[in-house]
Amino acid sequence: MPATKTVLIDPYTPLEKQRLPAGRPRSWYVRHNRKLKAMRLTIALLDSGVYNPSSANNKCIRHTAEVIGIHPPSDLTCTMVRTLLRKRY
């Protein structure tokens, strides 16, 4: 029986980026990137101690975006961030 090779993944190094699938409508790419941005912001808020959606107003979310170095999110993205905070299980 061949020995399996164990691959260790460092959780602090980003994964290699892959290209998005071609041929989708523009709205799909916009929605996809908005979801990724909302997830990044939600993780940053959780890491900073903001667990309650009511304490994550637009100003707080936009400040977090500035701190982690991404463009300020739209109102819709801020709403998605609060939804992700609400859906923690």
Side-chain angles (χ1 to χ4, degrees):
M1 189 173 204
T4 58
K5 185 178 178 182
T6 303
V7 177
L8 297 177
I9 298 174
D10 184 11
Y12 300 106
T13 57
L15 296 175
E16 193 173 313
K17 289 188 176 185
Q18 298 178 355
R19 296 177 58 92
L20 292 175
R24 306 263 173 125
R26 178 170 167 71
S27 60
W28 184 89
Y29 297 105
V30 170
R31 189 173 53 246
H32 176 76
N33 289 329
R34 188 178 306 249
K35 287 178 184 178
L36 290 178
K37 187 177 203 176
M39 284 190 286
R40 271 188 246 117
L41 285 167
T42 303
I43 291 167
L45 284 168
L46 289 170
D47 286 345
S48 68
V50 178
Y51 302 108
N52 196 353
S54 62
S55 60
N57 56 14
N58 288 358
K59 185 178 177 183
C60 174
I61 294 171
R62 288 189 175 116
H63 174 71
T64 304
E66 183 181 328
V67 168
I68 64 174
I70 59 178
H71 289 285
S74 65
D75 290 341
L76 183 60
T77 305
C78 291
T79 303
M80 289 176 73
V81 169
R82 283 189 289 279
T83 302
L84 287 170
L85 284 172
R86 198 173 290 118
K87 296 224 178 213
R88 290 185 313 121
Y89 299 175

